Amino acid sequence: MLKKTFVTVAAATTLALTACGGGTDAGTGAGGGSGDGITMGFAQVGAESGWRSANTKSVQDAAEKAGVDLKFSDAQQKQENQIKALRSYIQQQVDVIAFSPVVESGWDTVLKEAKDAGIPVILTDRAVDSSDTSLYKTFLGSDFVEEGKKAGDWLVEDSASTDGPINIVELQGTTGAAPAIDRKEGFEAAIAADPDLAIVESQTGDFTRSGGKQVMEAFLKNTPDIDVVYAHNDDMGLGAIEAIEAAGKVPGKDIKIITVDAVKDGMTALADGKINYIVECNPLLGEQLMDLAAKVVAGEEVPERVVTEESAFTPEQAKEVLASREY
Ligand code: GZL
């Protein structure tokens, strides 16, 4: 046990992957992975955002490249649909299951069923809050608390020369989802450094553009002087831009906007000055996932945690990289 723990901790602490493609070796020693003959059941969250679409394409392309037979399902952001899909993969006796849990809680029963069936599970993108880490082999994805902290740190620095209160409205991601919980936690911890910064309204827009627009319309009605929008993803930030412009205000100037993801549409709005800062969240997890799956099916050691390293962008930086972005 000690050896496994040592290998895991060492691998997990040293294993940080570059974003934008995420490299081809998830610290598993395989380049691109050879998944020939492996059948994977993948239960995706849905198709709620540009990030999710890029993530789905990355998984599907990487499965094809690795020769993995991919069974794919879209849960339309409903946990009951994901659980149904997982049970179907268990029944089909796939070699490995991978999924991005739409919310953190409520997975122990079905994960125990997978374990009892001898089917290894890989968490990708989002985490579960289960205390029993034997229910899955590894968690591949971003550090969402760090992403929220980066967003808050930028605002603290950007506001340093401004006197008086700065009113922030927050567009939260899906209620109960790990990125929503953690991005809120990281941001709040960072802005605590400046007592002038206050979140005056906070509500979920469910990671969708329409949700962000609807909630922002309500915020604009309820809160006379909004200085900053912190949106947990680009799509809700883009919806907020529509609402702000419809209200006759200038996004990026009258109301500053900070988002997370750095997908093409978000980076375009950033380059145009409608968004002021974007923290990157890398959706291109497909190749690392196939590498990990090949190892797990072969019964080999994998790190308990594989963290993707990510960047952040100002408008000037967005202009430089926009043309070369993969998503
Ligand atoms: C984050 C991912 C989030 C994205 C959103 O890893 O789970 O879900 O930030 C997406 O755009 O909907």
Side-chain angles (χ1 to χ4, degrees):
M1 191 54 189
L2 184 59
K3 180 177 178 306
K4 177 178 184 297
T5 307
F6 172 75
V7 166
T8 299
V9 169
T13 47
T14 54
L15 204 63
L17 302 163
T18 54
C20 296
T24 56
D25 177 352
T28 62
S34 160
D36 283 332
I38 290 177
T39 301
M40 172 186 283
F42 188 93
Q44 182 59 292
V45 166
E48 74 282 359
S49 63
W51 190 99
R52 188 64 55 198
S53 305
N55 178 249
T56 290
K57 184 176 185 310
S58 172
V59 169
Q60 292 173 332
D61 291 353
E64 190 176 348
K65 181 178 169 188
V68 168
D69 174 15
L70 184 71
K71 297 181 181 307
F72 183 90
S73 62
D74 170 337
Q76 292 162 347
Q77 288 191 282
K78 291 183 175 56
Q79 181 174 29
E80 62 267 24
N81 290 346
Q82 276 194 306
I83 291 173
K84 271 190 206 126
L86 296 178
R87 287 197 164 119
S88 157
Y89 298 146
I90 293 168
Q91 208 163 22
Q92 296 174 60
Q93 295 182 329
V94 298
D95 298 307
V96 59
I97 286 173
F99 78 116
S100 170
V102 60
V103 293
E104 280 190 337
S105 307
W107 301 100
D108 282 34
T109 302
V110 69
L111 291 179
K112 284 196 181 84
E113 290 167 17
K115 185 178 177 184
D116 292 347
I119 300 175
V121 174
I122 296 175
L123 300 182
T124 161
D125 169 30
R126 298 183 185 178
V128 298
D129 62 4
S130 175
S131 56
D132 183 357
T133 54
S134 75
L135 294 174
Y136 54 89
K137 292 294 181 187
T138 183
F139 166 38
L140 161 64
S142 306
D143 180 344
F144 301 129
V145 174
E146 180 59 24
E147 291 172 346
K149 182 180 179 306
K150 282 180 186 173
D153 287 346
W154 178 85
L155 184 57
V156 169
E157 193 181 328
D158 183 71
S159 314
S161 56
T162 308
D163 291 332
I166 292 177
N167 295 329
I168 304 162
V169 294
E170 181 181 31
L171 295 168
Q172 292 185 39
T174 302
T175 302
I181 294 165
D182 293 353
R183 285 172 185 167
K184 181 172 188 54
E185 179 189 324
F187 183 78
E188 288 177 343
I191 66 169
D194 180 347
D196 283 338
L197 295 173
I199 297 176
V200 295
E201 295 223 56
S202 181
Q203 197 178 322
T204 181
D206 209 18
F207 280 132
T208 65
R209 200 173 292 206
S210 60
K213 181 178 179 185
Q214 282 160 24
V215 174
M216 191 65 205
E217 286 166 347
F219 285 165
L220 287 162
K221 283 200 187 77
N222 303 340
T223 308
D225 47 351
I226 297 170
D227 301 298
V228 177
V229 177
Y230 169 50
H232 290 185
N233 80 332
D234 291 353
D235 288 70
M236 293 190 293
L238 292 163
I241 286 170
E242 290 179 40
I244 292 167
E245 289 177 330
K249 293 177 184 274
V250 180
K253 290 187 174 44
D254 298 336
I255 298 177
K256 291 191 175 181
I257 300 177
I258 308 164
T259 68
V260 184
D261 275 351
V263 295
K264 188 77 85 177
D265 288 351
M267 293 290 272
T268 302
L270 179 64
D272 294 344
K274 293 188 177 182
I275 292 177
N276 300 86
Y277 193 64
I278 297 186
V279 176
E280 183 180 43
C281 178
N282 177 20
L284 306 182
L285 304 176
E287 290 202 9
Q288 298 142 47
L289 173 59
M290 297 310 150
D291 285 351
L292 288 164
K295 278 273 187 179
V296 161
V297 170
E300 296 173 25
E301 279 295 309
V302 294
E304 274 179 2
R305 180 76 175 91
V306 179
V307 183
T308 42
E309 267 192 356
E310 292 151 347
S311 181
F313 301 95
T314 63
E316 298 68 39
Q317 291 164 334
K319 285 175 192 152
E320 284 164 24
V321 303
L322 194 56
S324 61
R325 295 283 292 170
E326 285 185 63
Y327 59 94

